Amino acid sequence: MVMYMNKSDFFYHLPEELIAQTPMEPRDHSRLMEMDRKTGALCHGRFYDLPELLKPGDLLVVNNSRVLPARLYGMKKDTGAAMEFLLLKQCQPDVWEILVHPGRKAKPGAKFIFGEGLLEAEILDVVEEGNRICRFTYDKAHSDLYAVLDKIGEMPLPHYITHTLADKERYQTVYSKELGSAAAPTAGLHFTPELMARLEQKGVGIAYVTLHVGLGTFRPVKEEDITQHLMHTEHYVLPPETARRIHQTKASGGRVIAVGTTSCRTLESVAQAHGEIVPCSGDTSIFIYPGYEFKVLDGLITNFHLPESTLIMLVSAFAGYENTMNAYRTAVEERYRFYSFGDAMLIL
């Protein structure tokens, strides 16, 4: 068995015009490539075809994390110099780890203003990779920091999306609930309430996990030997009801289908840590690449990912390397839309 462990094995050529800059309207009109992972056979349709492609008794596991409007534009309090903050992770109430630009202006003790004084920040420390720890202060007339962010924050769209997003909700799934992500779980962006109702009418269940997506999901793999890559850590929650439904689905012969790589990583992390699916929460830095033996997944819905990314490596582990790279070549030939606002693939 050939093992694909080099970063360059996961490269493919993508014309820039295939990178989707705007979300599809309506959401479920995105294209959907269906792959049989045993044979590699491909079919083409639309995302709204999903109920016809699944069976009664199947279970979709979706990530209900909600994206923070975590990008802030402001200025240094003493000089008025322009500054950009990106909130990454909460350390304590109103204390966050952040990315800053330009970093030279953000030394410990430096103070910044956002939203014409609605929000202020002081840098407390510099940590690994040049990230900062900062404390936010705001008028307590606002219930909490999230309320302030909702007013003045912008969605942290990936760098390859250069268009402005008119409606913040288009970078949220329709079932998003738990605030905490720095990026959207994008495979879920294709769902509409009507499509979810059709799935349930078909007898396809929907269960929820939470994994707060970190910006590390976009961190490039720098080492040619992918086994040397260190994954970022993300927080997850798997509720009791979801654990119950997964066990019930498996026992009755149904398929557990992860919607997105984040749901996949949550399920496989829990099974790896506990030997089975149990209700729990924790942090995961699981890195799934070819050779990994899946413990839970029977199917995967996912978007088309960046070349040489940990995400295309995960898909290759599940669908098979040759099948995956052939699917990507076909998607380019067929002019699919790629990345966060792009089209989707169903792998069964």
Side-chain angles (χ1 to χ4, degrees), residues 22-223:
T22 54
M24 177 61 71
E25 293 294 351
R27 290 173 182 257
D28 61 359
H29 280 52
S30 298
R31 294 172 73 185
L32 180 65
M33 179 187 287
E34 183 188 2
M35 181 204 286
D36 181 328
R37 67 185 179 122
K38 290 194 180 80
T39 66
L42 302 173
C43 298
H44 307 282
R46 294 281 172 178
F47 203 84
Y48 54 66
D49 298 325
L50 188 61
E52 285 69 56
L53 303 176
L54 302 180
K55 300 174 183 174
D58 286 342
L59 181 69
L60 294 176
V61 180
V62 304
N63 180 7
N64 67 1
S65 183
R66 189 165 171 79
V67 186
L68 285 165
R71 182 167 272 130
L72 292 166
Y73 294 100
M75 61 182 185
K76 199 159 186 274
K77 198 168 183 179
D78 57 355
T79 65
M83 198 71 186
E84 178 186 347
F85 277 22
L86 188 60
L87 280 66
L88 298 179
K89 185 169 66 178
Q90 186 176 24
C91 307
Q92 301 168 31
D94 298 333
V95 176
W96 284 72
E97 182 176 340
I98 60 169
L99 276 174
V100 296
H101 182 77
R104 67 182 182 279
K105 296 187 183 350
K107 294 175 179 166
K111 295 182 179 179
F112 301 88
I113 295 178
F114 304 91
E116 297 181 341
L118 273 181
L119 184 65
E120 296 195 15
E122 180 180 358
I123 304 298
L124 304 180
D125 198 7
V126 180
V127 291
E128 59 179 320
E129 297 184 357
N131 294 351
R132 269 56 172 182
I133 304 296
C134 84
R135 177 181 288 111
F136 289 105
T137 54
Y138 47 90
D139 188 328
K140 296 304 178 185
H142 297 285
S143 55
D144 55 26
L145 178 61
Y146 298 128
V148 182
L149 290 175
D150 208 41
K151 277 192 171 180
I152 64 173
E154 294 188 13
M155 280 297 171
L157 295 180
H159 62 87
Y160 49 74
I161 294 176
T162 57
H163 289 39
T164 303
L165 188 63
D167 177 8
K168 284 183 185 178
E169 282 302 307
R170 288 305 275 109
Y171 195 56
Q172 306 278 16
T173 62
V174 296
Y175 47 76
S176 65
K177 183 180 176 186
E178 305 294 339
L179 266 172
S181 277
T186 54
L189 294 177
H190 309 284
F191 287 85
T192 64
E194 295 77 16
L195 180 62
M196 294 173 79
R198 283 177 53 215
L199 286 162
E200 293 191 341
Q201 287 163 9
K202 175 75 181 273
V204 175
I206 299 172
Y208 300 90
V209 294
T210 304
L211 182 136
H212 291 316
V213 186
L215 281 184
T217 196
F218 300 114
R219 184 185 295 160
V221 178
K222 293 178 179 173
E223 298 80 3

Side-chain angles (χ1 to χ4, degrees), residues 3 11 14 34 50 115 126 155 159 190 280 290 298 315 345:
M3 294 300 292
F11 179 80
L14 180 68
E34 183 188 2
L50 188 61
V126 180
M155 280 297 171
H159 62 87
H190 309 284
C280 60
D298 303 301
V315 174
M345 179 160 46

